[in-house]
Amino acid sequence: MRLARYQAAGGTGIGAVRPDGSVVTTPWPDLGALFAEPDPLRAAQALDLSRQEPVAVQRLLAPAVDRAQVIGTGGNYADHAAEARTGGLVVAEPVFMPYLWGAVIGWEDDIGIPTEYMQTEYQADLPVRSGQTARG
């Protein structure tokens, strides 16, 4: 099952995507409510999509929980660490970088590029939220 965060006439919501591509409502108003379930995966898999009416989706949104900022790390990737070493910096631990919420965009949203007088770097980051301690 695929889940989608969407905007419709009645506001935003979390929907389930049917095999035909239509989106139907779920009982959760947002991803935070789904993740608050004791077993979010089991709760999502238990949905009966055949009984729900499709939603008139106006826009697909970023599949993320609204937060004031997103914290990213680059120092644990080999190419970022090598890039840092060329400047004489030795990276012993991951480097964390803040991104404002506006940096997170949804499907088919325009990417805002600064004026032509500024250098633009092309990079995409994938945010991941982990509720458990990562293996080390």
Side-chain angles (χ1 to χ4, degrees), residues 5-52:
R5 188 168 162 257
Y6 64 86
Q7 181 176 8
T12 62
I14 301 301
V17 182
R18 290 182 176 162
D20 66 3
S22 62
V23 177
V24 296
T25 60
T26 66
W28 308 288
D30 54 42
L31 286 170
L34 170 60
F35 294 143
E37 292 279 348
D39 188 341
L41 178 60
R42 182 162 292 162
Q45 290 173 333
L47 290 176
D48 182 1
L49 304 182
S50 65
R51 295 179 183 230
Q52 303 286 33

Short mmCIF file of all heavy atoms in Angstrom, two decimals, residues 5-52:
data_model
loop_
_atom_site.label_atom_id
_atom_site.label_comp_id
_atom_site.label_asym_id
_atom_site.label_seq_id
_atom_site.Cartn_x
_atom_site.Cartn_y
_atom_site.Cartn_z
N ARG A 5 0.23 12.19 1.14
CA ARG A 5 -0.22 13.39 1.84
C ARG A 5 -0.74 14.32 0.74
O ARG A 5 -0.06 14.56 -0.24
CB ARG A 5 0.95 14.00 2.59
CG ARG A 5 0.59 15.13 3.50
CD ARG A 5 1.77 15.47 4.43
NE ARG A 5 1.57 16.78 4.97
CZ ARG A 5 2.19 17.88 4.57
NH1 ARG A 5 3.12 17.81 3.64
NH2 ARG A 5 1.92 19.04 5.10
N TYR A 6 -1.95 14.84 0.92
CA TYR A 6 -2.58 15.59 -0.17
C TYR A 6 -3.27 16.84 0.33
O TYR A 6 -3.55 17.00 1.51
CB TYR A 6 -3.59 14.71 -0.91
CG TYR A 6 -4.75 14.29 -0.04
CD1 TYR A 6 -5.88 15.12 0.11
CD2 TYR A 6 -4.74 13.09 0.64
CE1 TYR A 6 -6.93 14.74 0.92
CE2 TYR A 6 -5.79 12.71 1.45
CZ TYR A 6 -6.87 13.54 1.59
OH TYR A 6 -7.92 13.18 2.40
N GLN A 7 -3.56 17.72 -0.63
CA GLN A 7 -4.38 18.91 -0.38
C GLN A 7 -5.63 18.75 -1.23
O GLN A 7 -5.56 18.44 -2.42
CB GLN A 7 -3.63 20.17 -0.77
CG GLN A 7 -4.41 21.44 -0.52
CD GLN A 7 -3.57 22.67 -0.84
OE1 GLN A 7 -2.48 22.58 -1.38
NE2 GLN A 7 -4.10 23.83 -0.51
N ALA A 8 -6.79 18.94 -0.61
CA ALA A 8 -8.08 18.88 -1.30
C ALA A 8 -8.90 20.10 -0.86
O ALA A 8 -8.44 20.90 -0.04
CB ALA A 8 -8.81 17.58 -0.96
N ALA A 9 -10.09 20.23 -1.37
CA ALA A 9 -10.93 21.38 -1.05
C ALA A 9 -11.16 21.52 0.45
O ALA A 9 -11.23 22.62 0.97
CB ALA A 9 -12.26 21.27 -1.79
N GLY A 10 -11.26 20.41 1.16
CA GLY A 10 -11.52 20.44 2.60
C GLY A 10 -10.29 20.61 3.46
O GLY A 10 -10.38 20.63 4.68
N GLY A 11 -9.13 20.69 2.87
CA GLY A 11 -7.89 20.83 3.63
C GLY A 11 -6.88 19.76 3.23
O GLY A 11 -6.95 19.20 2.14
N THR A 12 -5.98 19.46 4.14
CA THR A 12 -4.96 18.45 3.85
C THR A 12 -5.32 17.15 4.56
O THR A 12 -6.09 17.14 5.52
CB THR A 12 -3.57 18.92 4.31
OG1 THR A 12 -3.59 19.11 5.73
CG2 THR A 12 -3.15 20.19 3.61
N GLY A 13 -4.76 16.06 4.08
CA GLY A 13 -5.03 14.78 4.69
C GLY A 13 -4.02 13.74 4.27
O GLY A 13 -3.15 13.99 3.44
N ILE A 14 -4.16 12.58 4.86
CA ILE A 14 -3.36 11.41 4.51
C ILE A 14 -4.30 10.44 3.81
O ILE A 14 -5.36 10.09 4.35
CB ILE A 14 -2.76 10.74 5.76
CG1 ILE A 14 -1.89 11.73 6.52
CG2 ILE A 14 -1.99 9.49 5.38
CD1 ILE A 14 -0.75 12.29 5.72
N GLY A 15 -3.94 10.03 2.62
CA GLY A 15 -4.77 9.10 1.88
C GLY A 15 -4.00 7.86 1.50
O GLY A 15 -2.77 7.83 1.55
N ALA A 16 -4.73 6.84 1.14
CA ALA A 16 -4.14 5.61 0.62
C ALA A 16 -4.37 5.60 -0.89
O ALA A 16 -5.45 5.95 -1.36
CB ALA A 16 -4.80 4.40 1.28
N VAL A 17 -3.35 5.19 -1.62
CA VAL A 17 -3.44 5.17 -3.08
C VAL A 17 -3.89 3.77 -3.50
O VAL A 17 -3.25 2.78 -3.18
CB VAL A 17 -2.07 5.51 -3.72
CG1 VAL A 17 -2.19 5.52 -5.23
CG2 VAL A 17 -1.57 6.85 -3.20
N ARG A 18 -5.00 3.72 -4.21
CA ARG A 18 -5.51 2.46 -4.74
C ARG A 18 -4.69 2.02 -5.95
O ARG A 18 -4.01 2.85 -6.57
CB ARG A 18 -6.97 2.61 -5.16
CG ARG A 18 -7.93 2.77 -4.02
CD ARG A 18 -9.33 2.87 -4.58
NE ARG A 18 -10.34 2.93 -3.56
CZ ARG A 18 -11.56 3.35 -3.76
NH1 ARG A 18 -11.96 3.74 -4.96
NH2 ARG A 18 -12.43 3.37 -2.78
N PRO A 19 -4.79 0.76 -6.34
CA PRO A 19 -4.07 0.29 -7.54
C PRO A 19 -4.40 1.08 -8.81
O PRO A 19 -3.55 1.22 -9.68
CB PRO A 19 -4.51 -1.17 -7.67
CG PRO A 19 -4.86 -1.58 -6.27
CD PRO A 19 -5.45 -0.34 -5.63
N ASP A 20 -5.62 1.66 -8.89
CA ASP A 20 -5.98 2.44 -10.09
C ASP A 20 -5.45 3.87 -10.04
O ASP A 20 -5.67 4.67 -10.95
CB ASP A 20 -7.50 2.45 -10.28
CG ASP A 20 -8.26 3.19 -9.19
OD1 ASP A 20 -7.61 3.76 -8.27
OD2 ASP A 20 -9.50 3.21 -9.25
N GLY A 21 -4.74 4.23 -8.95
CA GLY A 21 -4.16 5.56 -8.83
C GLY A 21 -5.02 6.55 -8.06
O GLY A 21 -4.55 7.63 -7.71
N SER A 22 -6.27 6.21 -7.78
CA SER A 22 -7.12 7.12 -7.01
C SER A 22 -6.67 7.12 -5.55
O SER A 22 -6.07 6.17 -5.05
CB SER A 22 -8.59 6.71 -7.11
OG SER A 22 -8.79 5.42 -6.57
N VAL A 23 -6.96 8.22 -4.86
CA VAL A 23 -6.59 8.37 -3.46
C VAL A 23 -7.86 8.38 -2.62
O VAL A 23 -8.82 9.08 -2.94
CB VAL A 23 -5.81 9.69 -3.24
CG1 VAL A 23 -5.48 9.90 -1.78
CG2 VAL A 23 -4.53 9.70 -4.08
N VAL A 24 -7.87 7.58 -1.56
CA VAL A 24 -9.01 7.53 -0.65
C VAL A 24 -8.57 7.98 0.74
O VAL A 24 -7.40 7.90 1.09
CB VAL A 24 -9.63 6.11 -0.58
CG1 VAL A 24 -10.21 5.71 -1.93
CG2 VAL A 24 -8.63 5.09 -0.10
N THR A 25 -9.54 8.46 1.53
CA THR A 25 -9.22 8.96 2.86
C THR A 25 -8.80 7.84 3.80
O THR A 25 -9.11 6.67 3.58
CB THR A 25 -10.43 9.69 3.47
OG1 THR A 25 -11.51 8.76 3.57
CG2 THR A 25 -10.82 10.89 2.65
N THR A 26 -8.08 8.22 4.84
CA THR A 26 -7.71 7.31 5.91
C THR A 26 -8.21 7.92 7.22
O THR A 26 -8.60 9.08 7.25
CB THR A 26 -6.18 7.13 5.99
OG1 THR A 26 -5.58 8.36 6.36
CG2 THR A 26 -5.61 6.63 4.67
N PRO A 27 -8.20 7.18 8.30
CA PRO A 27 -8.69 7.73 9.57
C PRO A 27 -7.73 8.73 10.23
O PRO A 27 -8.08 9.33 11.24
CB PRO A 27 -8.89 6.50 10.45
CG PRO A 27 -8.11 5.42 9.83
CD PRO A 27 -7.96 5.75 8.39
N TRP A 28 -6.54 8.93 9.67
CA TRP A 28 -5.55 9.79 10.31
C TRP A 28 -5.54 11.17 9.66
O TRP A 28 -5.45 11.29 8.45
CB TRP A 28 -4.17 9.15 10.20
CG TRP A 28 -4.19 7.76 10.70
CD1 TRP A 28 -4.29 7.34 12.00
CD2 TRP A 28 -4.16 6.57 9.91
NE1 TRP A 28 -4.33 5.98 12.07
CE2 TRP A 28 -4.24 5.47 10.79
CE3 TRP A 28 -4.07 6.32 8.54
CZ2 TRP A 28 -4.23 4.16 10.35
CZ3 TRP A 28 -4.06 5.02 8.11
CH2 TRP A 28 -4.14 3.96 9.01
N PRO A 29 -5.60 12.23 10.45
CA PRO A 29 -5.59 13.59 9.89
C PRO A 29 -4.22 13.99 9.35
O PRO A 29 -4.12 14.85 8.49
CB PRO A 29 -5.99 14.48 11.07
CG PRO A 29 -5.59 13.69 12.28
CD PRO A 29 -5.75 12.24 11.91
N ASP A 30 -3.16 13.34 9.86
CA ASP A 30 -1.81 13.67 9.41
C ASP A 30 -0.89 12.48 9.70
O ASP A 30 -1.28 11.51 10.34
CB ASP A 30 -1.29 14.95 10.08
CG ASP A 30 -1.36 14.89 11.60
OD1 ASP A 30 -1.04 13.83 12.19
OD2 ASP A 30 -1.75 15.90 12.20
N LEU A 31 0.35 12.57 9.23
CA LEU A 31 1.29 11.47 9.43
C LEU A 31 1.65 11.29 10.90
O LEU A 31 1.91 10.17 11.34
CB LEU A 31 2.56 11.69 8.60
CG LEU A 31 2.38 11.46 7.10
CD1 LEU A 31 3.61 11.93 6.33
CD2 LEU A 31 2.09 10.01 6.80
N GLY A 32 1.65 12.39 11.66
CA GLY A 32 1.92 12.28 13.09
C GLY A 32 0.93 11.37 13.79
O GLY A 32 1.29 10.58 14.66
N ALA A 33 -0.34 11.45 13.41
CA ALA A 33 -1.38 10.60 14.00
C ALA A 33 -1.17 9.14 13.61
O ALA A 33 -1.35 8.24 14.43
CB ALA A 33 -2.76 11.08 13.58
N LEU A 34 -0.78 8.89 12.37
CA LEU A 34 -0.50 7.52 11.95
C LEU A 34 0.69 6.97 12.72
O LEU A 34 0.65 5.85 13.24
CB LEU A 34 -0.22 7.46 10.44
CG LEU A 34 0.31 6.12 9.91
CD1 LEU A 34 -0.66 4.98 10.18
CD2 LEU A 34 0.62 6.22 8.42
N PHE A 35 1.77 7.76 12.85
CA PHE A 35 2.96 7.30 13.55
C PHE A 35 2.73 7.15 15.05
O PHE A 35 3.51 6.50 15.74
CB PHE A 35 4.14 8.23 13.30
CG PHE A 35 4.60 8.22 11.87
CD1 PHE A 35 5.03 9.37 11.27
CD2 PHE A 35 4.58 7.06 11.11
CE1 PHE A 35 5.47 9.38 9.94
CE2 PHE A 35 4.99 7.05 9.79
CZ PHE A 35 5.44 8.22 9.20
N ALA A 36 1.65 7.74 15.58
CA ALA A 36 1.31 7.59 16.99
C ALA A 36 0.62 6.25 17.27
O ALA A 36 0.47 5.87 18.43
CB ALA A 36 0.42 8.74 17.45
N GLU A 37 0.20 5.56 16.22
CA GLU A 37 -0.40 4.23 16.39
C GLU A 37 0.63 3.28 17.01
O GLU A 37 1.83 3.41 16.74
CB GLU A 37 -0.84 3.66 15.03
CG GLU A 37 -1.99 4.40 14.38
CD GLU A 37 -3.34 3.98 14.94
OE1 GLU A 37 -3.43 2.97 15.67
OE2 GLU A 37 -4.32 4.68 14.64
N PRO A 38 0.20 2.31 17.81
CA PRO A 38 1.16 1.35 18.38
C PRO A 38 1.95 0.60 17.30
O PRO A 38 3.13 0.34 17.48
CB PRO A 38 0.28 0.39 19.18
CG PRO A 38 -0.98 1.16 19.45
CD PRO A 38 -1.15 2.11 18.31
N ASP A 39 1.31 0.28 16.19
CA ASP A 39 1.99 -0.39 15.07
C ASP A 39 1.50 0.27 13.79
O ASP A 39 0.52 -0.18 13.18
CB ASP A 39 1.67 -1.88 15.07
CG ASP A 39 2.49 -2.66 14.05
OD1 ASP A 39 3.03 -2.04 13.10
OD2 ASP A 39 2.61 -3.89 14.19
N PRO A 40 2.15 1.36 13.34
CA PRO A 40 1.66 2.10 12.17
C PRO A 40 1.54 1.26 10.91
O PRO A 40 0.58 1.40 10.17
CB PRO A 40 2.71 3.20 11.99
CG PRO A 40 3.36 3.34 13.31
CD PRO A 40 3.32 1.98 13.93
N LEU A 41 2.48 0.36 10.67
CA LEU A 41 2.42 -0.46 9.47
C LEU A 41 1.19 -1.37 9.51
O LEU A 41 0.44 -1.44 8.53
CB LEU A 41 3.69 -1.30 9.31
CG LEU A 41 3.72 -2.24 8.12
CD1 LEU A 41 3.57 -1.48 6.81
CD2 LEU A 41 5.00 -3.07 8.12
N ARG A 42 0.96 -2.01 10.61
CA ARG A 42 -0.20 -2.90 10.73
C ARG A 42 -1.50 -2.10 10.60
O ARG A 42 -2.46 -2.54 9.97
CB ARG A 42 -0.16 -3.66 12.05
CG ARG A 42 -1.33 -4.63 12.17
CD ARG A 42 -1.11 -5.66 13.20
NE ARG A 42 -0.02 -6.51 12.72
CZ ARG A 42 0.68 -7.31 13.50
NH1 ARG A 42 0.43 -7.39 14.77
NH2 ARG A 42 1.64 -8.06 13.01
N ALA A 43 -1.55 -0.91 11.20
CA ALA A 43 -2.75 -0.07 11.11
C ALA A 43 -3.04 0.31 9.66
O ALA A 43 -4.19 0.26 9.21
CB ALA A 43 -2.58 1.18 11.97
N ALA A 44 -1.99 0.67 8.89
CA ALA A 44 -2.18 1.02 7.48
C ALA A 44 -2.61 -0.19 6.66
O ALA A 44 -3.48 -0.09 5.80
CB ALA A 44 -0.91 1.63 6.92
N GLN A 45 -2.01 -1.33 6.93
CA GLN A 45 -2.34 -2.54 6.18
C GLN A 45 -3.76 -3.03 6.47
O GLN A 45 -4.35 -3.71 5.65
CB GLN A 45 -1.34 -3.65 6.49
CG GLN A 45 0.04 -3.38 5.91
CD GLN A 45 1.07 -4.39 6.37
OE1 GLN A 45 0.97 -4.99 7.44
NE2 GLN A 45 2.10 -4.58 5.54
N ALA A 46 -4.32 -2.65 7.61
CA ALA A 46 -5.66 -3.10 7.99
C ALA A 46 -6.77 -2.29 7.31
O ALA A 46 -7.94 -2.65 7.40
CB ALA A 46 -5.83 -3.02 9.50
N LEU A 47 -6.43 -1.21 6.61
CA LEU A 47 -7.45 -0.40 5.95
C LEU A 47 -8.16 -1.18 4.84
O LEU A 47 -7.51 -1.89 4.08
CB LEU A 47 -6.82 0.85 5.33
CG LEU A 47 -6.31 1.91 6.29
CD1 LEU A 47 -5.63 3.01 5.51
CD2 LEU A 47 -7.45 2.47 7.12
N ASP A 48 -9.46 -1.02 4.75
CA ASP A 48 -10.24 -1.61 3.66
C ASP A 48 -10.50 -0.50 2.64
O ASP A 48 -11.42 0.30 2.81
CB ASP A 48 -11.55 -2.18 4.20
CG ASP A 48 -12.38 -2.86 3.11
OD1 ASP A 48 -11.92 -2.91 1.93
OD2 ASP A 48 -13.47 -3.35 3.44
N LEU A 49 -9.68 -0.46 1.60
CA LEU A 49 -9.75 0.61 0.62
C LEU A 49 -11.00 0.54 -0.25
O LEU A 49 -11.40 1.54 -0.84
CB LEU A 49 -8.51 0.59 -0.28
CG LEU A 49 -7.17 0.69 0.45
CD1 LEU A 49 -6.04 0.72 -0.55
CD2 LEU A 49 -7.12 1.89 1.35
N SER A 50 -11.64 -0.61 -0.33
CA SER A 50 -12.81 -0.75 -1.20
C SER A 50 -14.03 -0.01 -0.66
O SER A 50 -14.95 0.28 -1.41
CB SER A 50 -13.14 -2.24 -1.38
OG SER A 50 -13.55 -2.80 -0.14
N ARG A 51 -14.05 0.32 0.62
CA ARG A 51 -15.21 0.98 1.22
C ARG A 51 -15.09 2.50 1.25
O ARG A 51 -16.00 3.17 1.71
CB ARG A 51 -15.41 0.47 2.64
CG ARG A 51 -15.75 -0.99 2.67
CD ARG A 51 -15.91 -1.46 4.08
NE ARG A 51 -16.17 -2.88 4.09
CZ ARG A 51 -17.16 -3.44 4.74
NH1 ARG A 51 -17.98 -2.71 5.46
NH2 ARG A 51 -17.34 -4.72 4.70
N GLN A 52 -13.98 3.05 0.80
CA GLN A 52 -13.77 4.49 0.86
C GLN A 52 -14.04 5.14 -0.48
O GLN A 52 -13.78 4.55 -1.53
CB GLN A 52 -12.32 4.79 1.28
CG GLN A 52 -11.92 4.17 2.60
CD GLN A 52 -12.54 4.87 3.78
OE1 GLN A 52 -13.64 5.39 3.72
NE2 GLN A 52 -11.83 4.89 4.89
#
